[in-house]
Each structure stands twice: as structure tokens, then as C-alpha cells.
Amino acid sequence: MTSSLTEISRPRRNGGQILMQQLRIHGVRRLFMIPGESYLPCIDAFNEHRDAIEPIVCRQESGAAYMAEAYGKLTGEPGICFVTRGPGATNASIGVHTAFQDSTPMILFIGQVGNDFYEREAFQEIDYRRMFGQMAKWVAQIDRTDRIPEYIARAFTVATSGRPGPVVLALPEDTLWGTAEVDDLPRYQRVHSHPGGSDLARMTALLEQAERPLMIVGGTGWTHDAMRDVAGFAERFQIPVGTAWRRLECFDQRHPNAAGHVGWAMTAELRQRVRDADLILAVGTRLGEATTEGYSVIESPMPRQKLIHVYPEASELGRVFTPAQAIVADVASFASAVAKLSPAVHPQRAAWVERAHADYLASLEPLPSPGPLSLDAIAAIASEQLPHDACITVGAGNYALYPHRYRRYTGPGTSLVPTVGSMGYGLPAAISAKLEQPERTVVCYAGDGCFQMNLQELGVALQYRVGVVVLVFNNSIYGTIRAHQEREFPGRDIALSFENPNFAALVRCYGGQGEVVERTEDFAAALARACEFANRENLPALLEVRYDANGIAPGETLSAIRDAALARQRQASAAE
């Protein structure tokens, strides 16, 4: 007799085999790891899934966690990371924190001491519920082998539902070595939140009453379809569109409604436009400290502007800002709904939109900078020279302001940046992006300090033949902190400089190509050579960009910051 479709085979398997089978069912194609004896049964179980799951062996847990986080940003599916207990978990915590503040779906699996040793401070033992409790959506420990499928299914659901984020699961050794006869559970189903008809009607009415509306888009879950639908909605309702802090990929900045990058270091014109808006339509973004410049251009708890806040997590709405209207919806569902909307009366805001876009285009003109190599000029050159769909990854530091300002990002996958502002992100994210989309040009922008926090992941690029291009900006200082130091303690710089290796020579040790660029006029040809090598050889190419440290940000110098701070001190002394 033919078996019923509802009958499920229940072979006896160890915990590692059960877990890896669940990951396969839930659609995992690649995961990032540092091997550890604490989860050996999982590692062994890879043998049964060679055709479906690719394990990427990284060099340090922070790099592995960053790669998983970048995978989550790119795909919308949870990025998977495996690390060992204790030091492995603490090293990986930076990726979990990034995923939490960036609202990225991610699952971190950590080996754990067996339950027979638990609460004895055994070798490398940590209570992960307490350790990760404030930086993850859910932290749990799987203490029974037969409950692994249940925990894995819940982890995928939690990581992707509402506001996406990281889940941490601890895996005691006795759970992984233990065996059970247990059913596999089906693949998780992502739950979407949709705006209701009354939500859309009220929003339309508020927009029709506004004279100077501004849309700010951000967050996760954007697709090309969602971006297209929101762009059409912005056209019909005549609304300029800004991208939230480090969410540059959420809107095609070639579009005539594009208004620029809202947040720290935005142009004076855009800052004033945010202040002058009589209505803010925030879609997918929490409107955090960076986007609102310390809750100043959009004030908390009561904004001067009317605020329509669209966000997938109800608990976030009204938490920091009191909105005129709160809509619980994820960006894809909201975009699909507004694609069907049109204003009842043709709006008269074309000039408002055109001025916003004209100001944005004017900001793309390179500003003057000191020395023979201009970061403003080479950022503009790179933007023009690289394919429009190239993926740009960036860590943290003042150098990041240049690709943020001068690159016109075109949509999902074109920017991978940690909104949490964590250093060392760029290279691991670039490797993850290139593994996921090998035909796409991937360029990592990294400061000399930022790059050295994870440069060992060049070994992953070598091992897996990943042709990324890395631009290392070498000024031999921690530039962002130096700028702050000059503002607060002018002329007293200390403890912020360092000596660097020859980065161009270093990348050659990893099978790559390296060049030093010290003049603006040499950059375009060097970038072309780097891209050609990376694409031809499937190995990393690095340009070490050496420049005058005085040029600290677009249109700013350290000397000018110091002089202004000293002038303020003199004025304050004279007033006493």
C-alpha cells in the first residue's frame, strides 16, 4: 500500500543531524562559521548536505558574524553563523549588536557546555540569555534533542517577523550528541503586516492637506518592486524622498524625486528642508539618533512636523516619536498598497520636489580638499566609473562620508553599511556580497583603522576565490575621534595616531593585487586595473589611498575645526 502523504519518516538521528536538516528545510544555502569542538555533531552533519549548504570557514568570529549579517541584509533571509562557546560568542557579539540595531534577520548558533556541567563555570561557560538579552530578539538554549525542530522553526519566525533582528540559540553538547526520533517541521512562513483601507484613506487626506511633505525611507525588506511602487507613489503625490541614515539603497537616487541622505553630515539645504517640512512620511525607518541628528531636525517626543510613521513593529510606533498617524506595515506590503493610490486633487508641489532634487544634484559636485589626493574627487570618480548596480560596502569612520555623499545608489543590494556604526564591517560584508552575487562588482571602502579590525578575512577571499575590490584610506589616525577631539579639546591631540603596514604589499600575501595611490589623477586608472584583476582572477584587489589627514570630511579640515574651537574658547574666556 502506498504510504499517506501525511506520514513522516522518523529515523533516529543525533542533534547535529536534526539541526542541519532543519536548516536545509528552512532554505539555508550558505552559513558562516569558526569551527569549534563544542558543536562537532553539526560540523559532521555538513557531510549530508554538501549539495545544498555551503559552509564558509572564516578567520575570526566577528568576521563570520558580519558576513552573516550582510547576508541577511542582502537576501531578507536570516544570515546563519556558527561559533564556539565563550570567546567565540564574545567575538561574535558585535555582529549580533549590528543585526539588532540594523534590524537584520540573523541566527547565531553557539556551542555550549553540556547540561551535566552547567552552572559550574565550566570551561568557556557563559549564560547566553543574560549575555545577549539586550541585543537580540530572542535568546534560548535547546536542552532537549527532540525539541530542536521546534526551536529552529521559532528562530526563523522571530528573526523575520515584525521588526527583523537576531536570534541566539545555545547548543549544549549533550543536546547535539543525544539522539531522538522526531519529525522535521516544514519551512517557516514569513508573516507580513499590511496597512488597512482606513489607514490609507487617512494618510491620503493628510498628504493632500500638506504643502511641504517629505518622505524618508529606510529599514529592511526593500525589493526592486517595492522601491518602484514607492517611487511611483512619490511621483503621483509630488513628494521628495530622502534616505535614512546609511539606508542609501532604499531609493534609486537617480530618480527625480530623490532628495538625498538624511542624517549626520547631511547638507545644510537638506537639513533645512527636513525642518521646513510640514509633514514627514517615514517608511520603514525608526528615525533614530543619526537620521534625526540627535532628535533635533525631527524632535522627540513631539515633532514639529506632522508625522506619519509606517513601521512593521507596533511596539516601535509611538515609542520615541508621537505620530499624527501610526501604520503597522512592512515596507513591501505598504509599497504594494500605495501603488494603487492616487490623489483626488492634483497636488501643486512640483517646485518643492524639483528644488529638493536640484539641491541633491548640486551636492554631488566635489568640494575642495587639501593635498595632492582629494577624497571628494576620487569618490566622485568611483561613482562615475563603477557599474550602477555595484555593491558598495563601508565600515565606520569619516572616510565613509565620501561614498555616502558622492555615490548615487540605485536600489537593493547596492549598499551594505552598518547603521550601528561598527568598524571592521566593510571587508566581511564585501566577501559575503560577492559570494551571494558573484557577477556583481563589489567594492569595500575601509579606513586604515577600520580595515585592520578584520583584514584577516582576506584569507576567506583567497580560499573561496572572491574577487572583491578594497579601497583602504590611509591617513594614519582614527580620524572621526580626532575630529571630535579637536572640537572639544583643540590643539591637544593625543593617542589617536598609529603606524601602518604597506597594505598594498600585504594583500599580495593573500594572492591579491595591490597598488598605492597618492594623486587624484592616478586613481581612475588604478581603480580600473583593480576591478579588472578582481573579475579576472577572482581574488582581492586593494588600492591603498594615501591622503592628507587634514582633509577630514567633505568640505572640512581638522585645522578649521581646531581654529573654530579655539575661537569659541577665546570668546567664552572674554565673556567671563
Side-chain angles (χ1 to χ4, degrees), residues 266-541:
M266 71 176 114
T267 64
E269 293 80 7
L270 181 53
R271 182 179 297 109
Q272 191 59 49
R273 182 159 287 106
V274 178
R275 292 184 185 277
D276 289 344
D278 58 359
L279 184 145
I280 299 288
L281 172 57
V283 181
T285 172
R286 292 188 300 116
L287 295 176
E289 177 192 358
T291 299
T292 62
E293 288 195 332
Y295 311 103
S296 62
V297 295
I298 303 175
E299 296 177 0
S300 172
M302 180 58 73
R304 295 185 307 277
Q305 312 91 333
K306 284 184 181 179
L307 173 63
I308 303 174
H309 201 170
V310 182
Y311 202 74
E313 184 71 56
S315 62
E316 291 288 342
L317 295 170
R319 185 166 78 95
V320 179
F321 301 95
T322 302
Q325 182 185 9
I327 300 175
V328 181
D330 58 56
V331 296
S333 299
F334 177 80
S336 178
V338 300
K340 305 174 181 69
L341 294 182
S342 293
V345 179
H346 186 71
Q348 302 298 314
R349 298 188 288 249
W352 169 249
V353 174
E354 289 166 4
R355 285 196 301 272
H357 190 61
D359 285 343
Y360 168 62
L361 293 179
S363 74
L364 300 176
E365 186 66 26
L367 296 170
S369 57
L373 187 140
S374 164
L375 292 192
D376 298 82
I378 70 167
I381 291 168
S383 181
E384 181 69 24
Q385 192 165 317
L386 294 172
H388 69 85
D389 66 342
C391 177
I392 308 299
T393 72
V394 184
N398 268 30
Y399 72 90
L401 298 174
Y402 295 89
H404 290 352
R405 180 175 182 127
Y406 295 113
R407 176 70 175 172
R408 301 178 74 181
Y409 297 87
T410 60
T414 58
S415 174
L416 285 175
V417 190
T419 68
V420 71
S422 51
M423 296 175 71
Y425 180 87
L427 179 61
I431 292 170
S432 185
K434 191 68 173 179
L435 286 167
E436 181 63 19
Q437 299 173 333
E439 300 306 313
R440 175 175 274 185
T441 298
V442 179
V443 179
C444 164
Y445 280 68
D448 46 0
C450 187
F451 179 64
Q452 291 182 88
M453 293 192 177
N454 265 315
L455 67 81
Q456 71 279 351
E457 302 305 330
L458 285 171
V460 177
L462 169 64
Q463 180 175 349
Y464 296 93
R465 307 288 293 194
V466 180
V468 295
V469 175
V470 183
L471 308 181
V472 178
F473 296 90
N474 183 356
N475 64 358
S476 297
I477 59 171
Y478 287 111
T480 302
I481 312 308
R482 175 67 182 278
H484 286 299
Q485 192 177 61
E486 292 289 7
R487 287 189 182 96
E488 304 301 330
F489 301 98
R492 292 175 58 81
D493 56 289
I494 191 171
L496 297 180
S497 61
F498 45 83
E499 290 190 18
N500 283 320
N502 185 320
F503 295 110
L506 181 64
V507 73
R508 297 183 198 117
C509 298
Y510 288 93
Q513 173 178 288
E515 289 189 52
V516 174
V517 180
E518 298 181 283
R519 301 187 309 166
T520 299
E521 55 266 35
D522 296 333
F523 177 74
L527 179 61
R529 287 191 294 271
C531 290
E532 193 278 331
F533 174 88
N535 291 331
R536 184 185 72 244
E537 302 295 335
N538 295 319
L539 286 168

